[in-house]
Amino acid sequence: GQNIDQPTEMTATEGAIVQINCTYQTSGFNGLFWYQQHAGEAPTFLSYNVLDGLEEKGRFSSFLSRSKGYSYLLLKELQMKDSASYLCAVRDSNYQLIWGAGTKLIIKP
Amino acid sequence: DTGVSQDPRHKITKRGQNVTFRCDPISEHNRLYWYRQTLGQGPEFLTYFQNEAQLEKSRLLSDRFSAERPKGSFSTLEIQRTEQGDSAMYLCASSSLNSGRYNEQFFGPGTRLTVL
């Protein structure tokens, strides 16, 4: 079967750094996405990885290791507005997105 | 066109009633997706259109669910004889081979359904 695992909840302090991990087992791989979702709102695209390595985009970076079926999202200089759920999704061989359950990130002052 | 729109944003209905939701994708996107999301979970795939053709339906989509995209533009999702277990956020997303930099899906604001 297809499976994506990420921690249910994480807590971090404003100004700090946090790493959210995602492991996956899917039928085929055509890229991995990270989306941010604030409570009651739609997911919004954050980052995409299809090759191994680190993609940096301002305060957010995403890493991929295809051989390990592993990705992480790194958030630096945390701000209160970063409190949200972070969803990992893999595009499979049918070009469909398989979603994780999301990691709820709580930022404390 | 600034994004994907969905209507209504909220729907409260009594068990056994039928409901219909509408999604207007980004105009140049030929792919349209419906998802269902419950609290603390990621989006669950329901169905997918490429232009007007419905190419895939999830096993989650029972006979009470039907979706259409008659002219390859907007789409409707109908739930017949609603049950309390249908209470969820229904998300619509669109994409195309040229959407964004990575063919990513763009989501609408969702329709929150509450079945009493």
Side-chain angles (χ1 to χ4, degrees):
Chain A
Q2 308 204 90
N3 195 50
I4 296 184
D5 286 316
Q6 45 181 136
T8 304
E9 187 174 297
M10 298 182 72
T11 302
T13 305
E14 191 178 14
I17 299 173
V18 70
Q19 177 175 312
I20 302 174
N21 296 325
C22 170
T23 57
Y24 63 89
Q25 289 179 308
T26 56
S27 55
F29 179 85
N30 281 298
L32 185 144
F33 294 84
W34 284 96
Y35 277 76
Q36 181 190 59
Q37 187 175 27
H38 284 99
E41 298 182 10
T44 54
F45 169 75
L46 277 181
S47 69
Y48 173 75
N49 295 72
V50 67
L51 299 176
D52 290 352
L54 189 69
E55 294 285 340
E56 296 187 78
K57 201 172 170 182
R59 294 189 299 116
F60 291 38
S61 303
S62 56
F63 172 83
L64 175 67
S65 169
R66 287 172 296 171
S67 62
K68 295 181 179 177
Y70 168 71
S71 173
Y72 68 72
L73 180 69
L74 192 71
L75 292 78
K76 303 176 187 175
E77 300 168 16
L78 286 169
Q79 302 175 9
M80 297 304 292
K81 67 178 182 180
D82 297 330
S83 292
S85 286
Y86 291 86
L87 298 161
C88 174
V90 173
R91 189 155 55 192
D92 69 8
S93 55
N94 293 321
Y95 231 67
Q96 300 297 352
L97 286 182
I98 310 301
W99 295 84
T103 298
K104 182 178 180 181
L105 178 63
I106 300 167
I107 310 295
K108 295 187 173 178
Chain B
D1 190 330
T2 57
V4 180
S5 61
Q6 293 186 245
D7 184 68
R9 295 291 306 277
H10 303 275
K11 178 71 178 178
I12 300 173
T13 191
K14 292 183 179 178
R15 189 177 53 177
Q17 298 294 304
N18 299 343
V19 294
T20 300
F21 308 143
R22 176 179 170 125
C23 171
D24 287 88
I26 294 172
S27 57
E28 62 267 27
H29 287 183
N30 63 342
R31 294 177 178 170
L32 187 148
Y33 304 80
W34 283 101
Y35 294 91
R36 180 175 68 188
Q37 187 177 29
T38 53
L39 198 62
Q41 298 298 315
E44 294 176 292
F45 171 78
L46 293 179
T47 191
Y48 153 58
F49 290 85
Q50 182 157 305
N51 300 313
E52 64 275 10
Q54 189 173 19
L55 296 187
E56 190 170 342
K57 291 170 63 173
S58 164
R59 284 169 295 177
L60 293 173
L61 219 63
S62 74
D63 291 344
R64 297 185 297 105
F65 288 70
S66 62
E68 293 183 341
R69 194 182 183 198
K71 297 181 180 178
S73 56
F74 73 92
S75 175
T76 57
L77 177 70
E78 181 182 16
I79 309 174
Q80 297 182 326
R81 305 181 302 282
T82 52
E83 301 172 356
Q84 288 183 326
D86 297 331
S87 294
M89 176 76 88
Y90 289 84
L91 293 167
C92 175
S94 70
S95 73
S96 72
L97 287 178
N98 299 316
S99 67
R101 288 183 62 189
Y102 311 112
N103 314 136
E104 66 266 30
Q105 295 180 16
F106 292 79
F107 283 83
T111 295
R112 181 166 294 284
L113 173 66
T114 303
V115 182
L116 302 175

